[in-house]
Amino acid sequence: MTNSVVRARFAPSPTGYLHIGGARTALFNWIFARQQGGDFVLRIEDTDSERSRPELIDVIFRALEWLGLDWDGTPVHQSERAHLYADAISQLLAQGDAYWCQCTPDEVKARAEERGGTPGYDGFCATKNLGPGDGRVVRFKVPDEGATSFTDIIRGDVTFENAVLEDFVIQRSNGTPMFHLANAVDDAEQNITHVIRGEDLINVTPKVLLLRNALGITTPLTFAHLPLIVNEKRQKLSKRRDDVSVGDYIDRGYLSEAMVNYLSTLGWGPSDGIEIRPLAEIVQMFRLEDVNKAGAFFDVKKLQHFNGEYIRNLSVPQFVTRSTRWLFDDTPWPAPNFDIAKFEVLAPLVQERVKLLSEVPSYVDFVFLDDPVIDEDAWNKVMVKNADLARDILPYALSVFADCEWNAHSIEVALFAYAEQNDIAKGKVQAPVRVSVTGRSVGPPLFESLEVLGRTEVLRRLTAAVERMG
RNA sequence: GCCCCCAUCGUCCAGCGGCCUAGGACGCCGGCCUUUCACGCCGGUAACACGGGUUCAAAUCCCGUUGGGGGUGCCA
């Protein structure tokens, strides 16, 4: 173990926010590294200056931090190590394993179409012995014969015939290296031992292997290509068409523990069938070789269920703390109206009802709003369709609430006396009071809510509701 | 087109030749609990893609078919 320390890496390209697929890749790398007592390092693959957006690098780091995936050492930025790639390219050129090419993309494409059949580069400049020059790229000379194989921990042996691989570009015409090249160089330079990434990259593996071979890199590198996370149409998650930014899930009130736990069940599952469990246990049980081969659908419904479980497992103070953001920013009520003491009373009741922290405000807004927001559907059902009952109950509530003791239990006894006297279901009796006071037909238990709101305000809202009924 | 990969309930996972009349979870549908809504509890629904082999025995191994996905960039 000492001389074979595992080093796994997550190598995002800062062309977008961290998305679900990237988060899962990072997570599996992290789990594997931690389980093996190895390192988990980061590498920013920003060789394409055209597409890279430096400001996103920090966003990605923060998303990883939110997920709790701590990394070892300082992240490497490919844009800062151009010399390493330049050296490798010079070596390849000197060895005759690469050559300069002056074909434009359009020319390559045109010839391919003319040729019919397989698209791709035809080796047009392979024997021209061109030197550097404006608009010229460097291409790697793929052997015409033979095959490149590797053993994938998840997929077993995978083989590509070299003949189907074109002479691919390793240095752009602007002088920057392509990612295959940077990849081969960096994995060696960073002593990476395991490459764990999405299956969409499996086909670039032979290219990287060919490059490593030509560069004389002999240190072993083990691959594990993870199944893709897919949408309802079973297609690879796309930043454009799918809702996959990790940041968006944070904003919607998902707990990172729930997200990480859920992600761990995509492509893998503990053999005892217990899905919801601490990350530490997952690290213990996880086996890279047990990861599935087939793509997994990202099921938000199931994620929500996990989230609800995690929320309910929080202590009440933790729940209050975690809800902070939704209590102070962008609230439906005027900020000065908020009273944390009142929220804390209702917190345990809200906690077992929400699946997302973002739902918290809608459960307590009536307490901090000057007037409740009336839900029209609820009003129609309870105050219009059942107006007769409401007209009996509201005056009754107004009178008993005026002088009963003001605590949840007494309020309940006072109101439900009506249910017993008139032999009406309690559910029917509480409805008009709930709608009058909270504006909604659903919410936390009514009597605790009334207690928190206070007698004066409850009476005022009840009166207002009677007037509104006309 | 060509290359690569994949295939167990609607979805995620378990299953690694006999313990499988296939198990768990989400969802969905019933029911119980109940002041609403949730929670919790009980029950139900529902799958080994198809066809050939191998074997005493196959969801599990092999081959083919079909279906799906990924790639095919001077993106990663």
Side-chain angles (χ1 to χ4, degrees), chain A residues 9 43 45 78 92 140 142 148-150 160 162 165-166 168-170 178-188 195 197 201-219 221 223 225:
Chain A
R9 41 75 156 183
R43 180 164 76 223
E45 306 220 325
Q78 292 186 328
L92 259 16
F140 178 74
V142 175
T148 300
S149 314
F150 60 96
F160 288 80
N162 291 155
L165 265 26
E166 61 178 320
F168 55 93
V169 174
I170 56 177
M178 287 287 287
F179 109 106
H180 316 92
L181 189 279
N183 223 271
V185 170
D186 285 333
D187 282 339
V195 173
R197 51 160 40 158
L201 290 168
I202 198 166
N203 61 175
V204 310
T205 306
K207 295 182 181 179
V208 174
L209 254 16
L210 251 14
L211 246 15
R212 285 168 57 87
N213 190 249
L215 288 169
I217 297 166
T218 55
T219 49
L221 188 57
F223 291 89
H225 287 94

Side-chain angles (χ1 to χ4, degrees), chain A residues 88-166:
Chain A
I89 291 165
S90 300
Q91 181 189 338
L92 259 16
L93 243 14
Q95 289 170 184
D97 285 318
Y99 59 88
W100 289 92
C101 165
Q102 62 180 358
C103 302
T104 64
D106 284 347
E107 289 166 356
V108 173
K109 199 180 166 197
R111 283 203 302 272
E113 274 168 18
E114 203 174 301
R115 208 169 55 234
T118 358
Y121 188 64
D122 54 3
F124 194 74
C125 299
T127 55
K128 290 192 169 168
N129 267 308
L130 261 26
D134 226 27
R136 291 181 184 175
V137 300
V138 177
R139 286 181 184 275
F140 178 74
K141 192 162 178 35
V142 175
D144 295 331
E145 307 194 334
T148 300
S149 314
F150 60 96
T151 300
D152 187 290
I153 294 186
I154 297 169
R155 275 151 228 288
D157 294 332
V158 182
T159 299
F160 288 80
E161 295 295 327
N162 291 155
V164 305
L165 265 26
E166 61 178 320

Side-chain angles (χ1 to χ4, degrees), chain A residues 366-401:
Chain A
F366 71 92
V367 180
F368 309 116
L369 245 18
D370 292 330
D371 285 296
V373 174
I374 305 293
D375 176 81
E376 290 305 329
D377 287 345
W379 181 274
N380 279 330
K381 188 179 175 199
V382 178
M383 311 296 264
V384 178
K385 287 187 183 163
N386 289 296
D388 291 348
L389 188 57
R391 279 183 214 287
D392 286 343
I393 292 172
L394 260 20
Y396 175 85
L398 234 14
S399 92
V400 295
F401 288 174

Side-chain angles (χ1 to χ4, degrees), chain A residues 326-389:
Chain A
W326 287 272
L327 262 15
F328 292 95
D329 300 337
D330 268 337
T331 53
W333 53 79
N337 284 14
F338 185 69
D339 180 343
I340 188 74
K342 288 182 178 175
F343 175 69
E344 283 172 343
V345 175
L346 259 19
L349 304 174
V350 173
Q351 183 179 2
E352 62 181 26
R353 289 174 166 72
V354 297
K355 281 197 164 79
L356 302 174
L357 292 178
S358 55
E359 294 169 356
V360 170
S362 69
Y363 276 84
V364 297
D365 60 355
F366 71 92
V367 180
F368 309 116
L369 245 18
D370 292 330
D371 285 296
V373 174
I374 305 293
D375 176 81
E376 290 305 329
D377 287 345
W379 181 274
N380 279 330
K381 188 179 175 199
V382 178
M383 311 296 264
V384 178
K385 287 187 183 163
N386 289 296
D388 291 348
L389 188 57

Side-chain angles (χ1 to χ4, degrees), chain A residues 260-328:
Chain A
V260 161
N261 195 158
Y262 174 66
L263 250 22
S264 78
T265 68
L266 257 27
W268 178 80
S271 51
D272 65 7
I274 299 172
E275 297 180 314
I276 296 181
R277 65 197 320 153
L279 222 206
E281 284 183 22
I282 292 170
V283 168
Q284 289 285 325
M285 307 178 81
F286 184 81
R287 293 280 93 97
L288 197 47
E289 53 270 39
D290 287 343
V291 171
N292 283 166
K293 301 182 180 79
F297 171 59
F298 184 68
D299 186 351
V300 178
K301 283 239 186 76
K302 189 159 181 178
L303 205 212
Q304 276 192 17
H305 174 260
F306 272 47
N307 208 53
E309 291 277 318
Y310 273 90
I311 285 177
R312 275 175 256 125
N313 281 332
L314 254 24
S315 67
V316 176
Q318 283 173 329
F319 173 67
V320 172
T321 303
R322 300 270 214 145
S323 299
T324 301
R325 175 175 162 187
W326 287 272
L327 262 15
F328 292 95

Side-chain angles (χ1 to χ4, degrees), chain A residues 45-63:
Chain A
E45 306 220 325
D46 53 356
T47 59
D48 186 353
S49 51
E50 302 272 309
R51 287 164 220 268
S52 287
R53 291 169 57 194
E55 73 277 12
L56 290 176
I57 296 175
D58 205 48
V59 175
I60 292 171
F61 287 165
R62 283 207 300 273

Side-chain angles (χ1 to χ4, degrees), chain A residues 9-19 22-23 26 30 40-46 53-80 190 246-247 250 256:
Chain A
R9 41 75 156 183
F10 176 54
S13 182
T15 52
Y17 301 98
L18 183 67
H19 60 105
W30 183 91
F40 171 64
V41 304
L42 255 34
R43 180 164 76 223
I44 304 301
E45 306 220 325
D46 53 356
R53 291 169 57 194
E55 73 277 12
L56 290 176
I57 296 175
D58 205 48
V59 175
I60 292 171
F61 287 165
R62 283 207 300 273
L64 289 171
E65 279 167 359
W66 179 76
L67 289 166
L69 308 182
D70 57 325
W71 55 89
D72 298 295
T74 307
V76 160
H77 291 66
Q78 292 186 328
S79 58
E80 294 168 2
Q190 293 190 100
V246 170
I250 299 175
S256 62

